[in-house]
């Protein structure tokens, strides 16, 4: 429990009444816009820091395994130490990749409104560290873009309409294929 972790850090029993809440979605920016699926472009979107826990390499490999004529472009919004490796991997597997870098929340919303799907391919690291309830997942759902997520969706309140998948290339590829064909 959180109280036990605090006790371990400070070494004393404290009367704690803590409540952990997810970061709120800025609904003045991330709101649903009426847009048909056919109006969305043929891109897959990933948003977040370019680090291993985000699992963007799984997404690149999943897209690279789709038939070339069905393969959409991938847009990754964010910066981080994995940038060069992801660009190289995308080139190697034939994925058209755009990495605009860190952009404003308004620009993120604009990309979400264009995307065929937003993918949150988070993974558990060898240390056991995992993401809680990624804010981008809730933002994408607020905008109304289809979402594929590898995080345990029970961590997202309220329950979502995202497509949950295992954090492996084959599962992400199968979910992408299904959404992109619909």
């Amino acid at each position: 429990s959180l109280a036990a972790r605090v006790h371990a850090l400070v070494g004393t029993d404290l009367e704690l009444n803590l409540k952990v809440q997810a970061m709120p979605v800025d609904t003045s920016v991330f709101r649903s816009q009426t847009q048909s699926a056919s109006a969305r472009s043929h891109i897959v979107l990933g948003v977040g820091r370019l680090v291993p826990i985000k699992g963007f390499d799984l997404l690149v490999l999943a897209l690279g395994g789709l038939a070339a004529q069905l393969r959409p472009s991938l847009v990754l919004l964010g910066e981080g130490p994995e940038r060069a490796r992801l660009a190289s991997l995308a080139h190697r597997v034939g994925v058209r990749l755009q990495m605009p870098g860190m952009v404003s929340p308004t620009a993120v919303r604009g990309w979400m409104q264009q995307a065929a799907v937003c993918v949150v391919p988070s993974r558990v690291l060898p240390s056991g560290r995992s993401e809680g309830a990624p804010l981008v997942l809730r933002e994408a759902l607020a905008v109304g873009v289809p979402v594929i997520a590898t995080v345990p969706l029970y961590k997202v309140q309220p329950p979502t309409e995202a497509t949950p998948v295992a954090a492996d290339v084959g599962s992400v590829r199968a979910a992408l294929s299904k959404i992109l064909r619909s």
Side-chain angles (χ1 to χ4, degrees):
S1 79
L2 185 57
R5 290 172 56 196
V6 170
H7 172 73
L9 289 171
V10 297
T12 184
D13 285 326
L14 299 174
E15 288 294 323
L16 298 175
N17 186 13
L18 301 175
K19 185 175 182 180
V20 178
Q21 292 184 308
M23 288 181 58
V25 172
D26 183 348
T27 55
S28 69
V29 175
F30 297 95
R31 60 190 176 280
S32 184
Q33 302 273 323
T34 306
Q35 186 165 355
S36 68
S38 62
R40 296 185 181 276
S41 58
H42 199 59
I43 63 168
V44 171
L45 181 66
V47 182
R49 187 154 156 72
L50 306 179
V51 293
I53 198 168
K54 298 296 185 180
F56 291 128
D57 57 332
L58 296 174
L59 178 53
V60 170
L61 291 169
L63 285 168
L66 293 174
Q69 67 272 20
L70 300 175
R71 191 178 304 146
S73 296
L74 173 60
V75 175
L76 294 178
L77 303 178
E79 286 292 343
E82 294 277 291
R83 184 182 181 92
R85 188 175 81 80
L86 291 167
S88 176
L89 180 62
H91 178 75
R92 194 170 75 239
V93 298
V95 171
R96 292 176 308 280
L97 174 63
Q98 295 178 56
M99 291 193 284
M102 188 181 300
V103 300
S104 71
T106 303
V108 172
R109 181 194 67 217
W111 281 105
M112 286 178 174
Q113 290 169 335
Q114 293 178 55
V117 61
C118 182
V119 183
V120 185
S122 305
R123 65 159 47 98
V124 177
L125 296 177
S127 67
R129 182 172 172 242
S130 66
E131 293 204 278
L135 181 59
V136 67
L137 186 146
R138 295 188 317 278
E139 290 169 341
L141 292 167
V143 169
V145 64
V147 177
I148 296 170
T150 59
V151 296
L153 295 181
Y154 65 85
K155 293 182 181 182
V156 180
Q157 297 298 327
T160 72
E161 294 298 318
T163 301
V165 298
D168 64 70
V169 173
S171 297
V172 173
R173 182 182 304 127
L176 279 167
S177 183
K178 182 177 179 182
I179 286 176
L180 293 171
R181 286 188 177 137
S182 62

